[in-house]
Structures are given as C-alpha cells and as structure tokens.
Amino acid sequence: MKSWTKNQLKRIRIALMLNSDKRNKYLKKHQVFKEMGNNVFFQPRIIPSDPKLIKFHNNIIVTSNVTFVTHDIFHLGLNNMYQEPFAYEQNCIEIMDNVFIGCNSTILGNVKIGPNALIAAGSVVTKDVLPNTVVAGNPARVISTFDEYVEKRRKKIPLTTEEELWRNFTNKKNK
C-alpha cells in the first residue's frame, strides 16, 4: 500500500508541474518510465497508470493529451458475468528514435512505433507503426512516408508574424 501511495503522490506532483522542461527532467531523473532516452519531450501532464511498461528511445516528441493504454481492465466485467477468474491484461509500448506523436492521440498496448515515424493528431494507434511512416486516423493508417513529409515541410515558407499568418490564412480561405 505504501508503494501505491508513493506512486500516486508522484503522479500528482508531475501533473502539477506546469513547466514541461522541469517535468521532463523529473521524469528522467526519477526513472518514471521503463526507459527514457535523450531528447525526449513529454508534454502530457497525466502519467499512464503503468509507466514502467513504456520505453522511449531518443529524439521523441509526445505532445499534449496523448494517452498510453498499457492495460485492459475488462476482466472485471467478465469476472462478474461468468463468475470465474479472467486475467488482468497488460502490454508494453515501445517508441523508437525520431518519433513525433500529435495531440490527443491514443497509443494502445502491444505497439511499437518507428523509428522515424509521425503520428498525426487525434490518431488511435492499434498496431505497430513501421519505420519511416506517417500515420493518421482511427484506427491509424499510413498516409505517407516520413521522407515525403520532411520534403513537404522543407518547401513551406516560415511565417513569423501574426499579420503574416492571418494574411496567409485569409488568402487560402478566399480561393
């Protein structure tokens, strides 16, 4: 019970850290995840319930509100329905090098992502994401290669001011 309370207090502390850089240093220093390589930016403030089942390699960006589901507690419902013990199911998640995971995505257990992969915002990843791919949707499907995405981004002209951004937005919408 003491370990459970300590872990819950740690999760609350992490959730209350507003500065993501400090939060990332804390996550790495206290070995919250099974593995956390170099240059991992973890923006979510809610830590998965089983963080030791998640490995992050190097150069990874996990944006806000990403959910990692490492367990399935439906055994409770099955136990009540059939009056017999069903097993609690847990699975690992591994994120390889050079991965970006967009806002509000969900990564299910028993999934390996990357390397060189991009998960679009709002995606639900139910199976492995192959190296050098961009996936999107529910369930997530391949929409391009990572290299194609990088080339497309290289061609974009950076807009730096608010006025430039609004002018570009208006021009696109008026076409």
Side-chain angles (χ1 to χ4, degrees):
M1 186 67 156
K2 194 175 192 180
S3 176
W4 182 86
T5 303
K6 186 177 178 181
N7 285 336
Q8 293 307 314
L9 290 172
K10 189 184 291 186
R11 292 178 74 194
I12 291 168
R13 180 177 182 179
I14 293 165
L16 294 174
M17 287 183 186
L18 300 178
N19 183 301
S20 56
D21 289 332
K22 287 182 183 177
R23 191 167 51 251
N24 284 300
K25 287 177 185 170
Y26 182 90
L27 292 170
K28 190 162 184 161
K29 178 181 178 184
H30 294 277
Q31 300 174 333
V32 172
F33 295 104
K34 176 70 173 172
E35 188 176 303
M36 192 167 180
N38 296 319
N39 301 315
V40 175
F41 179 79
F42 189 86
Q43 193 173 23
R45 292 170 54 194
I46 305 300
I47 299 302
S49 58
D50 300 312
K52 290 294 185 185
L53 297 177
I54 302 170
K55 283 185 181 180
F56 294 104
H57 289 258
N58 300 305
N59 195 33
I60 297 167
I61 300 171
V62 181
T63 59
S64 61
N65 300 323
V66 172
T67 304
F68 294 89
V69 181
T70 56
H71 65 281
D72 174 0
I73 62 166
F74 188 56
H75 71 285
L76 297 175
L78 294 172
N79 290 348
N80 291 331
M81 288 172 62
Y82 296 101
Q83 304 301 312
E84 62 182 271
F86 284 82
Y88 173 61
E89 187 176 330
Q90 292 180 288
N91 293 291
C92 298
I93 297 171
E94 186 170 18
I95 315 297
M96 304 305 287
D97 293 344
N98 309 315
V99 170
F100 174 88
I101 304 175
C103 298
N104 300 313
S105 292
T106 299
I107 314 300
L108 298 183
N110 201 31
V111 163
K112 184 175 182 178
I113 298 175
N116 302 326
L118 187 148
I119 312 301
S123 297
V124 178
V125 180
T126 61
K127 58 185 178 180
D128 290 354
V129 175
L130 297 175
N132 198 41
T133 57
V134 177
V135 300
N138 180 4
R141 292 184 176 89
V142 175
I143 60 170
S144 76
T145 69
F146 188 80
D147 295 334
E148 289 169 342
Y149 177 79
V150 169
E151 283 308 308
K152 184 177 177 181
R153 285 293 298 259
R154 279 191 177 123
K155 294 176 184 174
K156 286 191 175 190
I157 299 167
L159 303 174
T160 56
T161 68
E162 190 177 305
E163 291 79 21
E164 287 178 315
L165 291 168
W166 277 111
R167 188 172 37 254
N168 186 53
F169 175 82
T170 304
N171 289 339
K172 283 182 179 178
K173 297 301 175 184
N174 288 337
K175 285 185 179 181

